[in-house]
Amino acid sequence: MTEAMLAVEDLVVRFAVKREGLFGKPGQLHAVDGVSFEIGRGRTLGLVGESGSGKSTSALAIARLIPAVSGRVHLGGIDLLGLEGEVLRDQRRRMQFIFQDPYSSLNPRLRAGAIVREPLDRLGIGTPAERTGRVDELFTEVGLRPEQQRLFPHQFSGGQRQRLGIARALASKPDLIICDEPVSALDVAVQAQILNLLARLQRDLGLTCLFISHDLGVVQHMCDDVAVMYMGRIVEHASRRRLFTSPRHPYTQALLSAVPSADPSRQRRERIMLTGDPPSPIDPAPGCRFASRCPMVEARCRAATPGFRELEAGHWAACRRIGE
Amino acid sequence: MSAPVLRVRDLRVEFDTREGVVPVIDGLSFDLAPSQALGLVGESGCGKSMTALAIMGLVPSPPGRIAEGSIEYAGEDLVTAGDQRMRDIRGNEISMIFQEPMTSLNPVYTVGEQIAEVLRTHQGLSRAAAWAHAVELIDAVRIPLPDRRAGEYPHQLSGGMRQRIMIAIALACRPKLLIADEPTTALDVTVQAQIFDLLEGLRARTGTALILITHDMGVVAEVAERVVVMYAGRKAEEGPTSALLGHPSHPYTQGLIASVPHVVDEVPREREALTEIPGIVPALAEFGKDRCLFAPRCGSADEACLRARPPEAPWGEGQGVACWHPGPAGSGSR
Ligand SMILES: Nc1ncnc2c1ncn2[C@@H]1O[C@H](COP(=O)(O)OP(=O)(O)OP(=O)(O)O)[C@@H](O)[C@H]1O
Ligand SMILES: Nc1ncnc2c1ncn2[C@@H]1O[C@H](COP(=O)(O)OP(=O)(O)OP(=O)(O)O)[C@@H](O)[C@H]1O
Ligand SMILES: [Mg+2]
Ligand SMILES: [Mg+2]
């Protein structure tokens, strides 16, 4: 693997919550429970998993936007979780977010040009004249016209607003871009425009991305490597080709088999129908989190957390039953 | 083929807006056979939900109304049926699962009471019989521990379970037609697969016809036998699912299929750019104009497309297309 731009080790995030009944006895919601992965420079890692599996929480903790209980987050060799104050602010600009909802993530009172320029001003990047030039350049780069800088966010369509969000994220030339469901609020036809734009930027600018999506088709299209989360843990991590052609974890296998596809060759695939819903993430039982829905479960799966094993170079999974 | 359970002809639904009177459904026709599953697809705002509301007699009025056309259900025109008759039909004959399950369930009643209520009003069951049947229905939609779940409130259930409760309510009166409006959009794919499996089983067992509204061509491919593709209130293309997905003839249908990165088994090493449909859907003020409303976004458009609205014409194996230049990626002309 190339040098890691981002290395996350044993990240843990919990939320204190009140439980149903039991006189509202407080509990711990295990949102992220020992997540580790690396992203090589210039590569894109897809983080997939069902709703509530901890994708956004992982990203927010990596960016220090919410506190982690424990773990290490190295960005280009610097441990972010140890930093405070000015130094943290400085390092944080090396990471930028592109959010799902282009409507609520842009300040409605600022003009489009000012929105994109704001990080440059705040971080004092370049001279004022250089910043103006950079904003023009960014508008062109994301497929907007420079004269649209005078408009307010509500005067743009959803897809154009997402372009603005992308321009703003690129402004400070970050080392890492975190895309959290960047196209799921957009109409299918507009999704393609944004995905093509992101793919072109990945290639031309050599971006390093953490790409969060529950849409496996989008992840297959956009990512070099894929990590699958289930209930706060990564259960499988492999290159895009390996993950989609030979998934090993029973959850990944069920997930892939459940994705509806317009590809006729996939219509004949065997569908693995999972029963039930994911269990509660509040004070979860020990052992494998997938045990309650797993078609291959055995008693020992419930006894202890399965370790993350490297099955083949670059292909990891957390399941005792693999290879038995 | 047996007589259709639903026959929609030249349906026009108008809304009074600031832009004037707008036909949000404009000359829509389609048939649905008993036990058939029809997919209704298109981008946001193309009129999918409005079509469903028109069938249910629930077009918000004012500002909306059914201005022209007929909706024949088992031979009876629902457009001219009275309010009382429509109330009878809703729930007994035609049921709908709405886009947002949380807002359509009443938070202050248990889910068992809500299902039982439908059974009491529509089937005249006694309190005890209705409750017992409600528990059976919760079991039928495969929610574990149905006895206990019946006594719980909507917020105590997961999103997937709430959606299954909505299905149980919709099925309570054994409808002949079920309309499901994006029933799984908020659900995870593994739960989505369970819901589709459930709908499929019920259709096979009871002969209920299904209209499935979705923007996901993958879902259409898995669930529907026929597809109607809508654009700006009009039908762009219609046909059997495999023919329509295999040989889409309308440039909009082609775009809808090619613009989505579908999961494929043979993962190519190189990633090709997705086909884009440039631009966005037309503003309401454009609806109803006598021209092809897709022309500004279409690679095959010429003056003919701006002169007149293309009429629907037969195409291929049982397809119908409303386009002046249909065919594989902008080849033909008519
Ligand atoms: N601020 C919070 N307080 C309490 N619980 C939270 C908070 N934020 C997230 N959670 C919980 O943490 C878990 C992980 O949530 P997260 O938003 O990371 O999931 P996700 O994988 O991003 O899901 P989605 O696909 O729905 O966006 C969930 O159970 C969620 O309810
Ligand atoms: N009360 C209203 N007044 C005016 N126009 C309306 C009203 N309600 C809906 N419309 C318009 O009717 C059109 C059809 O809306 P409809 O809800 O059927 O779209 P849809 O295809 O279901 O979209 P989505 O995928 O977003 O659910 C839209 O363009 C919408 O703006
Ligand atoms: Mg999230
Ligand atoms: Mg709708």
Side-chain angles (χ1 to χ4, degrees):
Chain A
M1 200 170 190
T2 50
E3 168 211 355
M5 178 60 92
L6 178 72
V8 177
E9 247 177 275
D10 265 328
L11 188 67
V12 175
V13 184
R14 291 196 183 138
F15 296 107
V17 289
K18 278 222 276 265
R19 287 201 283 183
E20 285 290 327
L22 300 170
F23 308 103
K25 189 167 148 277
Q28 289 277 320
L29 190 150
H30 294 228
V32 177
D33 209 3
V35 158
S36 306
F37 60 81
E38 289 188 358
I39 310 180
R41 185 183 291 275
R43 292 181 76 84
T44 294
L45 173 72
L47 200 54
V48 303
E50 298 187 89
S51 186
S53 56
K55 307 181 294 295
S56 300
T57 305
S58 299
L60 291 170
I62 288 167
R64 289 281 311 260
L65 295 169
I66 55 170
V69 172
S70 59
R72 276 169 301 283
V73 175
H74 287 266
L75 180 65
I78 299 170
D79 186 357
L80 295 184
L81 295 193
L83 304 178
E84 291 303 333
E86 192 70 22
V87 200
L88 172 62
R89 244 201 328 275
D90 245 24
Q91 291 300 320
R92 213 187 242 155
R93 75 164 216 227
R94 296 170 52 211
M95 260 185 220
Q96 291 291 325
F97 265 94
I98 297 169
F99 292 102
Q100 165 173 7
D101 188 354
Y103 301 78
S104 59
S105 61
L106 301 175
N107 184 340
R109 285 181 301 276
L110 287 186
R111 291 179 196 276
I115 288 174
V116 175
R117 188 189 175 100
E118 194 267 343
L120 299 174
D121 288 339
R122 185 163 38 88
L123 301 165
I125 296 172
T127 65
E130 281 166 355
R131 289 174 210 163
T132 306
R134 175 84 179 125
V135 173
D136 284 347
E137 195 181 291
L138 283 161
F139 265 67
T140 317
E141 207 152 67
V142 300
L144 293 169
R145 293 189 308 279
E147 69 267 21
Q148 290 176 302
Q149 288 178 34
R150 279 176 291 120
L151 303 178
F152 289 98
H154 75 265
Q155 292 170 298
F156 289 90
S157 70
Q160 289 174 324
R161 268 181 280 222
Q162 197 53 295
R163 289 176 197 267
L164 268 183
I166 294 169
R168 180 183 56 180
L170 293 175
S172 59
K173 303 204 166 140
D175 291 328
L176 175 73
I177 301 248
I178 300 178
C179 302
D180 192 353
E181 305 277 4
V183 295
S184 32
L186 303 175
D187 244 325
V188 281
V190 180
Q191 279 192 12
Q193 300 168 14
I194 298 299
L195 292 176
N196 282 346
L197 169 64
L198 284 171
R200 182 169 59 74
L201 295 170
Q202 276 174 335
R203 205 177 49 236
D204 295 356
L205 308 179
L207 299 179
T208 307
C209 299
L210 177 60
F211 192 100
I212 297 174
S213 177
H214 67 275
D215 185 328
L216 287 139
V218 168
V219 166
Q220 186 179 65
H221 186 74
M222 297 297 292
C223 303
D224 302 304
D225 302 287
V226 183
V228 181
M229 279 190 88
Y230 189 80
M231 302 259 330
R233 293 181 182 153
I234 292 180
V235 296
E236 187 159 4
H237 183 151
S239 72
R240 152 175 166 273
R241 280 172 68 89
R242 281 209 63 86
L243 192 106
F244 283 98
T245 53
S246 35
R248 303 293 300 276
H249 195 284
Y251 173 65
T252 313
Q253 292 170 346
L255 186 67
L256 289 182
S257 84
V259 180
S261 173
D263 175 12
S265 70
R266 276 182 59 84
Q267 306 276 305
R268 287 180 298 277
R269 75 188 180 275
E270 197 181 325
R271 245 192 287 160
I272 305 164
M273 201 60 78
L274 291 181
T275 53
D277 297 298
S280 165
I282 301 171
D283 301 326
C288 173
R289 297 270 160 86
F290 187 55
S292 63
R293 299 170 83 195
C294 181
M296 294 161 61
V297 68
E298 285 183 345
R300 64 196 167 113
C301 301
R302 296 200 169 88
T305 302
F308 208 42
R309 287 191 284 148
E310 190 160 18
L311 308 170
E312 267 164 75
H315 191 160
W316 293 269
C319 174
R320 285 196 188 78
R321 306 250 15 223
I322 294 172
E324 287 186 348
Chain B
M1 196 166 106
S2 52
V5 60
L6 190 74
R7 249 175 98 89
V8 175
R9 283 293 172 278
D10 307 314
L11 181 67
R12 183 179 173 94
V13 177
E14 292 179 348
F15 270 84
D16 299 321
T17 71
R18 274 184 301 180
E19 273 89 352
V21 175
V22 170
V24 299
I25 304 290
D26 190 2
L28 180 69
S29 302
F30 65 88
D31 285 355
L32 180 63
S35 85
Q36 195 173 49
L38 176 80
L40 208 54
V41 290
E43 279 170 282
S44 188
C46 69
K48 304 181 297 293
S49 297
M50 203 54 71
T51 303
L53 292 178
I55 296 167
M56 296 286 286
L58 292 174
V59 172
S61 167
R65 72 201 146 264
I66 295 181
E68 281 172 33
S70 62
I71 301 171
E72 265 178 40
Y73 167 75
E76 176 183 3
D77 187 6
L78 301 183
V79 173
T80 53
D83 286 351
Q84 183 53 50
R85 178 74 188 123
M86 280 315 293
R87 262 194 296 277
D88 264 8
I89 286 178
R90 277 197 297 273
N92 275 330
E93 312 268 335
I94 307 179
S95 286
M96 180 158 169
I97 304 168
F98 289 91
Q99 223 162 341
E100 287 125 24
M102 204 45 200
T103 54
S104 3
L105 284 172
N106 191 330
V108 303
Y109 293 103
T110 65
V111 294
E113 281 164 355
Q114 297 187 51
I115 303 172
E117 164 71 21
V118 177
L119 292 164
R120 285 207 305 276
T121 31
H122 288 280
Q123 295 196 339
L125 295 189
S126 74
R127 198 163 278 276
W131 182 266
H133 192 37
V135 173
E136 277 169 30
L137 282 165
I138 296 175
D139 189 39
V141 295
R142 292 193 218 136
I143 295 179
L145 309 175
D147 279 313
R148 205 184 86 199
R149 290 296 182 187
E152 293 188 339
Y153 293 89
H155 75 268
Q156 292 174 284
L157 305 182
S158 70
M161 286 191 215
R162 284 199 290 264
Q163 195 55 285
R164 275 174 273 183
I165 294 293
M166 290 304 301
I167 294 176
I169 291 176
L171 295 173
C173 295
R174 302 174 172 279
K176 298 205 181 52
L177 169 60
L178 177 64
I179 305 174
D181 191 354
E182 307 262 10
T184 56
T185 309
L187 303 179
D188 292 319
V189 285
T190 56
V191 178
Q192 170 174 285
Q194 292 170 17
I195 302 270
F196 288 152
D197 194 46
L198 184 71
L199 287 176
E200 180 72 42
L202 289 162
R203 213 158 54 78
R205 267 207 320 284
T206 63
T208 301
L210 175 69
I211 296 180
L212 179 76
I213 296 175
T214 177
H215 60 269
D216 186 335
M217 278 292 186
V219 167
V220 165
E222 304 265 333
V223 180
E225 295 155 321
R226 276 189 85 75
V227 194
V228 169
V229 180
M230 291 185 69
Y231 189 78
R234 298 172 182 175
K235 180 163 72 180
E237 182 163 8
E238 179 187 352
T241 304
S242 56
L244 187 127
L245 291 177
H247 318 279
S249 65
H250 195 293
Y252 180 59
T253 316
Q254 290 160 2
L256 272 189
I257 296 169
S259 64
V260 177
H262 297 283
V263 170
V264 290
D265 285 339
E266 297 294 316
V267 183
R269 209 167 283 277
E270 286 305 312
R271 284 171 278 170
E272 300 206 344
L274 300 166
T275 306
E276 294 181 22
I277 304 177
I280 55 168
V281 292
L284 277 178
E286 294 294 307
F287 281 53
K289 296 266 165 74
D290 185 17
R291 58 170 175 253
C292 174
L293 296 180
F294 185 61
R297 304 174 75 184
C298 182
S300 325
D302 59 16
E303 296 92 79
C305 308
L306 299 175
R307 267 198 301 272
R309 172 179 174 175
E312 188 180 347
W315 180 266
E317 302 151 49
Q319 279 162 262
V321 60
C323 173
W324 291 115
H325 307 295
S331 54
S333 187
R334 11 194 271 241

